[in-house]
Amino acid sequence: MKAVLFDDALRVSHDHPVPDVPSGWARIRVKLAGICQTDLEITKGYLGFRGVLGHEFVGEVEQCADPAWRGRRVVGEINAACGACDWCARGLGRHCPNRTTLGIAGLDGCMADFCVLPVANLLEVPAAISDERAVLVEPLSAACEILEQQPLKGHERIVVLGDGRLGLLCAWVLSTVAQDVTLVGHHPEKLVLAPWRGLRTCAHAEDVKPGADVVVEATGSGSGLALAMALCRPRGTIVLKSTVASPGAINLAPVVIHEMTVRGSRCGRFKDGLALMQKHPDMPLERLITAQRPIDEALNAFEQAGSGKALKVLLRINP
Amino acid sequence: MKAVLFDDALRVSHDHPVPDVPSGWARIRVKLAGICQTDLEITKGYLGFRGVLGHEFVGEVEQCADPAWRGRRVVGEINAACGACDWCARGLGRHCPNRTTLGIAGLDGCMADFCVLPVANLLEVPAAISDERAVLVEPLSAACEILEQQPLKGHERIVVLGDGRLGLLCAWVLSTVAQDVTLVGHHPEKLVLAPWRGLRTCAHAEDVKPGADVVVEATGSGSGLALAMALCRPRGTIVLKSTVASPGAINLAPVVIHEMTVRGSRCGRFKDGLALMQKHPDMPLERLITAQRPIDEALNAFEQAGSGKALKVLLRINP
């Protein structure tokens, strides 16, 4: 089968073996796959992953012991959890210490004709949701994770730092519950895509009034946390979405003096992402899709995705 | 009056003017004052404060418009809040943006024969509490602040990093509600003072089992946060008590990946500290007092307090 591989370099293989289907798992014929920042980082040698890339997809179940699943259009939670540990028992398989992760750790990914996942990870995509929206469920769910961790009453003033994919998604998700959300970014061509439901944009952080109740750090840059501390009110919350290291010494004294809460936030539950898509069919997710390219053009597609100009680049695999 | 002053250097003045009493304030004759890390930092030129040092004290009200207060033995909240802003309205005067702070910002401190504070800041000390215990109410309340911010059920596994004054106090306070508390420190002469109520001590962080529910960072050293991240479980909480800057680049990726919550924690309510002293008369607070010295020996007392060997050094002023 065709597959986008990273071993020592990024390449497209045309004869990668079709994966076997373990008991309790399903094989999915992939329709669309998204290129994510994590994929770009893997191709720079971070994370140590070698194999088929990709963890954002929509596809159709091709093989599965349970015939009811066959032919269904699905998305899939990316962490294959052990199902036996305390985390799994609490429904937090995405923190299972024994997990493998699709295209990231110990499990071949979805940038291929086929990928495999536990049946327990699959969610059927409602007919009203297009492939182009469904493939965005992973980053949308990561944005929804903020609401799971930090319940909002709606009156909070919220600032989202970073106008990349994740920043836009966080701003849209937060706009579904809060009235006063401002997205701060440096890219006019991205900020122009943001307005929805009263969401405001701002190109200069110095124009943002300090004292926000919640600041979401999604810049992907090391200086974002310092800016978040400057904009957050005493006893406010900073949600950290970026995993980027600070470039130099960072002084967390403001967090202590003003008793801020810094909340690390990563993946979310796909069922939350799908539910949000159903509830808000007007959320302009399609604006995130900069380009769709056939899998054979994966190398160019990765280059485009990493250029800083693109938001989301999709690979068409079996459309 | 006698006063410990920091202008360009630390010195004891014998003819400092006795402070006037503004309307709604009281003048207190200071009995004992404690030397705190913040005082030491001020004398190194940090924080920009110039004037009479000190914010930890116990004393007797000497002058006050309300005669009922005169002669009472008191401690006093250190932040003189404006009483008019939103923070004050919420009972959080310690975050009031217009506040002055005793011996720290805009208000002469308590290392003097007399100091002044708003009457609203005063709390009478119950007779059962000695001067030596009462003078510790400020750091004890700072430790109590953790419980206000982070309610505990009691079953949590807690690790406190740092065997200084604040680390010991945090460990004792947490031991009043949790069964499994471990204090980690590098000073055998301080660790030996810690045991109370099943509190365990550990001289080597590598001997602590990772996966703690709550890790309190009270080392006062820049490397404490990295250790806290290594010891905290996914979705666990790190309480930051140290305001020290990280000495180099710090990678907060573990906070994001494991969705930890980092909670800055500073001052607490004195009424909580006093209540805890009354409820737990056996809490071995006196162990923290390394020395008591007359105010005339303040320079030597500061040197002793900053030596790294001492826990709490007190100044006897009008004992």
Side-chain angles (χ1 to χ4, degrees):
Chain A
M1 67 174 186
K2 283 189 190 173
V4 180
L5 284 174
F6 179 72
D7 27 37
D8 285 319
L10 181 69
R11 63 191 175 88
V12 179
S13 166
H14 282 233
D15 56 0
H16 198 71
V18 173
D20 291 333
V21 188
S23 171
W25 288 48
R27 189 161 63 207
I28 300 123
R29 184 189 304 271
V30 180
K31 300 180 78 176
L32 285 175
I35 301 174
C36 165
Q37 187 62 34
T38 305
D39 303 314
L40 297 171
E41 287 180 17
I42 288 172
T43 64
K44 289 175 194 158
Y46 304 147
L47 303 175
F49 178 74
R50 298 288 182 274
V52 179
L53 290 174
H55 57 276
E56 301 178 1
F57 76 92
V58 58
E60 275 179 17
V61 176
E62 181 254 359
Q63 202 177 103
C64 178
D66 179 354
W69 274 104
R70 284 183 214 150
R72 288 205 205 169
R73 194 166 61 117
V74 294
V75 290
E77 294 268 4
I78 70 174
N79 293 295
C82 73
C85 70
D86 288 350
W87 293 101
C88 290
R90 289 166 54 194
L92 283 168
R94 57 195 190 278
H95 286 293
C96 164
N98 310 310
R99 70 188 182 273
T100 58
T101 306
L102 189 70
I104 295 176
L107 180 60
D108 269 346
C110 63
M111 293 180 182
D113 284 321
F114 297 97
C115 68
V116 291
L117 272 177
V119 172
N121 285 37
L122 302 182
L123 294 97
E124 184 164 17
V125 180
I129 297 176
S130 69
D131 288 345
E132 284 75 13
R133 290 175 79 83
V135 74
L136 298 173
V137 72
E138 197 274 340
L140 181 66
S141 302
C144 291
E145 180 78 344
I146 298 174
L147 295 180
E148 196 210 320
Q149 295 175 285
Q150 177 78 21
L152 296 173
K153 297 195 176 103
H155 60 70
E156 294 86 352
R157 185 158 71 84
I158 299 176
V159 176
V160 178
L161 303 178
D163 55 10
R165 298 175 281 271
L166 193 53
L168 281 158
L169 286 167
C170 290
W172 290 337
V173 166
L174 293 166
S175 293
T176 64
V177 291
Q179 302 305 312
D180 189 345
V181 183
T182 303
L183 177 71
V184 180
H186 295 308
H187 304 89
E189 76 280 9
K190 295 179 182 175
L191 284 183
V192 77
L193 302 175
W196 181 66
R197 279 206 164 208
L199 170 65
R200 279 179 297 213
T201 62
C202 183
H204 303 286
E206 53 273 29
D207 294 339
V208 178
K209 198 174 119 193
D213 299 294
V214 178
V215 182
V216 178
E217 201 300 279
T219 61
S221 91
S223 56
L225 178 56
L227 178 56
M229 289 190 289
L231 292 175
C232 186
R233 71 163 168 80
R235 292 227 170 174
T237 297
I238 295 171
V239 179
L240 271 193
K241 275 290 186 189
S242 299
T243 53
V244 177
S246 165
I250 187 160
N251 187 347
L252 292 178
V255 169
V256 178
I257 292 168
H258 302 301
E259 298 195 320
M260 297 169 184
T261 295
V262 179
R263 234 181 247 289
S265 177
R266 195 177 48 123
C267 302
R269 290 181 299 215
F270 278 28
K271 71 173 183 179
D272 295 336
L274 279 181
L276 206 79
M277 282 187 195
Q278 286 193 277
K279 192 172 172 194
H280 300 285
D282 63 327
M283 185 184 280
L285 297 173
E286 293 82 356
R287 293 184 197 162
L288 294 183
I289 301 173
T290 305
Q292 297 193 41
R293 309 187 65 156
I295 186 172
D296 283 322
E297 295 177 16
L299 270 62
N300 288 334
F302 267 70
E303 197 173 320
Q304 186 177 12
S307 69
K309 302 251 176 194
L311 284 162
K312 181 60 72 184
V313 177
L314 301 179
L315 295 178
R316 288 199 305 273
I317 304 183
N318 298 291
Chain B
M1 66 174 187
K2 282 190 192 174
V4 180
L5 284 172
F6 179 72
D7 26 37
D8 285 319
L10 182 68
R11 64 192 175 89
V12 179
S13 166
H14 282 231
D15 56 359
H16 197 72
V18 172
D20 291 332
V21 187
S23 170
W25 289 50
R27 189 161 62 207
I28 301 123
R29 184 190 303 273
V30 179
K31 300 180 75 176
L32 285 175
I35 302 174
C36 165
Q37 187 61 34
T38 305
D39 302 314
L40 297 171
E41 289 181 16
I42 289 172
T43 63
K44 291 176 193 159
Y46 303 148
L47 303 174
F49 178 75
R50 298 287 181 277
V52 179
L53 290 174
H55 57 277
E56 300 179 2
F57 76 93
V58 59
E60 273 178 19
V61 177
E62 180 254 359
Q63 202 177 104
C64 177
D66 179 353
W69 274 105
R70 286 183 214 150
R72 287 206 205 168
R73 193 166 62 119
V74 295
V75 290
E77 293 269 4
I78 70 174
N79 292 295
C82 73
C85 71
D86 287 350
W87 293 103
C88 289
R90 289 165 55 195
L92 283 168
R94 58 196 190 275
H95 287 293
C96 165
N98 311 310
R99 71 186 182 275
T100 58
T101 306
L102 189 70
I104 296 177
L107 180 60
D108 269 346
C110 63
M111 291 178 182
D113 283 322
F114 297 98
C115 67
V116 292
L117 272 176
V119 173
N121 286 37
L122 302 182
L123 294 96
E124 184 165 18
V125 179
I129 297 177
S130 68
D131 287 345
E132 285 74 12
R133 290 175 78 83
V135 74
L136 299 173
V137 72
E138 198 273 341
L140 181 65
S141 301
C144 291
E145 180 78 345
I146 299 174
L147 296 180
E148 195 210 320
Q149 296 175 285
Q150 177 79 21
L152 296 173
K153 299 197 176 98
H155 60 69
E156 295 86 351
R157 185 158 70 85
I158 299 176
V159 176
V160 178
L161 303 178
D163 54 11
R165 298 175 280 272
L166 192 54
L168 282 158
L169 286 167
C170 290
W172 289 337
V173 167
L174 292 166
S175 293
T176 64
V177 292
Q179 302 306 310
D180 188 345
V181 182
T182 303
L183 177 71
V184 181
H186 295 308
H187 304 87
E189 76 280 10
K190 295 180 182 175
L191 284 182
V192 77
L193 302 175
W196 180 65
R197 277 206 164 208
L199 170 64
R200 279 179 296 212
T201 62
C202 181
H204 303 286
E206 53 273 29
D207 293 339
V208 179
K209 199 175 118 192
D213 298 295
V214 178
V215 182
V216 178
E217 201 300 280
T219 61
S221 90
S223 57
L225 178 56
L227 178 56
M229 289 191 289
L231 291 175
C232 186
R233 70 162 169 82
R235 293 228 168 175
T237 296
I238 294 170
V239 178
L240 272 193
K241 275 289 184 189
S242 300
T243 53
V244 178
S246 164
I250 187 162
N251 187 347
L252 293 177
V255 170
V256 179
I257 293 169
H258 301 302
E259 297 195 320
M260 297 168 184
T261 295
V262 179
R263 236 181 246 288
S265 178
R266 195 179 46 126
C267 302
R269 292 180 297 216
F270 279 26
K271 70 173 183 179
D272 295 338
L274 279 181
L276 206 78
M277 281 188 196
Q278 287 193 276
K279 192 171 170 193
H280 299 284
D282 62 326
M283 187 184 280
L285 297 173
E286 292 84 355
R287 292 184 196 162
L288 294 183
I289 301 173
T290 305
Q292 296 192 43
R293 309 185 67 154
I295 186 170
D296 283 322
E297 295 177 16
L299 270 61
N300 288 335
F302 267 70
E303 196 174 320
Q304 185 177 13
S307 69
K309 302 251 176 195
L311 285 160
K312 180 61 71 185
V313 177
L314 301 179
L315 295 178
R316 286 199 306 271
I317 303 182
N318 297 291

